[in-house]
Amino acid sequence: MTTTSEAISPPVINRPNSTSVGTIVWLGSEVMFFAGLFAMYFSLKAGAPDLWANDAQILNVPFALINTLILVSSSFTAQFGVFAAERLQPRRTGASPAKWGMIEWFFLTYILGGIFVAGQIWEYAMLVSEGITLSSNSYGSAFYITTGFHAMHVTGGLVAFLLIIGRAYAAKNFGHKEATSAIVVSYYWHFVDVVWIGLFVVVYILK
Amino acid sequence: MRSNIGLQMVMAAYLAVATVGYVIVSYLVFGYVEPIGTIVIGFSVLLSLLIAFFLYSGLSKDSELPEDRLDGEIADDSGEVGFFSPWSWWPLALGLACAMLFLSLAVGWWVTFIAVPLAIVAVLGFVYEYSRGAHAH
């Protein structure tokens, strides 16, 4: 009789976590969203090369490079937060970063991301004062729409980090549910970081 | 999971060939490499590779799914897929808030002053639904 019951019981299926897969598929759609923005940028550039040669000189590349490094470093701090979340450790057990929990690393990530957005706003203010606005010409439109949509994604990621930190505070027992949401927010953050590296190369290096 | 990765890789390979073909054909037809189609078809290679790489990185030895087996049946795929809230009202509230945000484009910006607070409440309610009250843990 034991053989029959073994035959009836269904095999255990080890599926990848549906939250993670859903996030990655959604990030795939975000890839295509930014593909549209890159396509817009390059087609406007192809239509007005003289405008690009003239207006792109105003960009403050060293400042943008520092801002880029800040955003890239925030991806590393987010990943250390994920390692802490995978250890199911929400809070620090000591002052040194080696003993930090997810909350401390995500707060640091939040601060770095906040500096990046603040730097973007400062850069926009400088450019507007020099006459490049969203409606000034096609270069202004392309610059603000591509970097602006990216900055909105970063801002959305910052809100997501706050919500995840709040969840860690709300949980008496920090479990796999909390860890999963922390991991998928880090996927999003890494994605936004990679998009910025692409934008930085296209907008600031390939002027 | 191997079959899912294989499908994504086939799509990536096809789209990579399509990108090269598009570059060549657009150059022959227009006299220059047309940027919009090149970038968008090229990025769809990344779209497939992203999902394939994610599934591959999560691949473990015991991750054989029913669709990987030649004798697999549709019924073998049944069972728990993930956690989905069975009765939550928050997605509806969030959807209404988003609908009002889009409505403000047609009606007037003042609608956002109602929609944004509603969206904030709905997001917080959605995210913290299983962190508080009877579900606090």
Side-chain angles (χ1 to χ4, degrees):
Chain A
M1 288 304 286
T2 48
T3 48
T4 356
S5 63
E6 268 172 25
I8 288 166
S9 66
V12 179
I13 304 172
N14 286 305
R15 291 193 172 284
N17 185 315
S18 62
T19 309
S20 306
V21 175
T23 304
I24 292 292
V25 171
W26 171 65
L27 288 180
S29 81
E30 290 276 280
V31 168
M32 297 317 292
F33 175 81
F34 280 102
L37 293 183
F38 277 108
M40 175 204 74
Y41 185 91
F42 278 108
S43 57
L44 286 175
K45 187 181 183 181
D50 298 340
L51 193 62
W52 252 253
N54 184 36
D55 279 10
Q57 298 307 319
I58 300 173
L59 292 177
N60 188 345
V61 178
F63 178 82
L65 179 65
I66 292 167
N67 224 8
T68 303
L69 292 175
I70 289 169
L71 189 68
V72 171
S73 64
S74 79
S75 237
F76 284 92
T77 60
Q79 194 55 38
F80 282 116
V82 167
F83 293 149
E86 284 172 344
R87 295 196 300 267
L88 302 182
Q89 183 201 344
R91 293 168 203 228
R92 66 183 181 275
T93 54
S96 87
K99 293 179 176 175
W100 279 6
M102 188 204 83
I103 289 172
E104 287 78 24
W105 282 114
F106 275 13
F107 267 127
L108 180 60
T109 310
Y110 184 86
I111 291 166
L112 290 170
I115 293 170
F116 175 83
V117 175
Q120 286 275 92
I121 292 167
W122 187 83
E123 191 185 10
Y124 284 5
M126 289 294 113
L127 287 173
V128 169
S129 73
E130 293 179 65
I132 296 179
T133 67
L134 186 60
S135 54
S136 60
N137 54 37
S138 63
Y139 177 75
S141 301
F143 175 82
Y144 286 111
I145 291 173
T146 49
T147 59
F149 266 111
H150 176 268
M152 283 164 71
H153 277 77
V154 174
T155 310
L158 292 178
V159 172
F161 274 119
L162 283 189
L163 293 171
I164 297 305
I165 290 168
R167 258 192 181 175
Y169 278 122
K172 286 190 203 74
N173 300 309
F174 187 92
H176 288 287
K177 183 177 161 54
E178 281 77 18
T180 301
S181 53
I183 290 165
V184 297
V185 168
S186 85
Y187 288 164
Y188 175 74
W189 194 252
H190 294 322
F191 167 79
V192 168
D193 194 9
V194 169
V195 167
W196 177 256
I197 293 169
L199 273 177
F200 178 74
V201 170
V202 166
V203 175
Y204 292 90
I205 308 288
L206 304 174
K207 290 189 291 191
Chain B
M1 213 144 59
R2 293 191 180 282
S3 52
N4 306 48
I5 297 167
L7 278 172
Q8 295 293 336
M9 292 304 288
V10 167
M11 277 173 64
Y14 165 72
L15 290 164
V17 173
T19 310
V20 175
Y22 189 83
V23 167
I24 295 167
V25 170
S26 73
Y27 187 77
L28 293 176
V29 173
F30 302 122
Y32 61 93
V33 177
E34 196 279 314
I36 299 174
T38 308
I39 291 167
V40 174
I41 303 171
F43 267 64
S44 49
V45 180
L46 296 179
L47 161 77
S48 299
L49 284 181
L50 174 73
I51 300 171
F53 172 74
F54 173 74
L55 293 176
Y56 179 78
S57 65
L59 189 70
S60 59
K61 279 170 191 160
D62 54 352
S63 63
E64 186 181 63
L65 300 182
E67 52 262 45
D68 298 331
R69 298 201 317 261
L70 284 174
D71 62 339
E73 297 285 342
I74 299 289
D76 295 341
D77 213 19
S78 63
E80 196 177 330
V81 178
F83 175 75
F84 298 96
S85 182
W87 44 263
S88 177
W89 287 92
W90 289 113
L92 184 65
L94 188 57
L96 278 175
C98 293
M100 282 178 77
L101 273 173
F102 281 101
L103 186 70
S104 75
L105 296 176
V107 175
W109 284 108
W110 60 271
V111 180
T112 56
F113 290 106
I114 305 165
V116 169
L118 192 63
I120 292 170
V121 171
V123 166
L124 289 174
F126 202 161
V127 172
Y128 291 109
E129 183 168 25
Y130 284 88
S131 300
R132 64 191 185 82
H135 298 287
H137 56 278

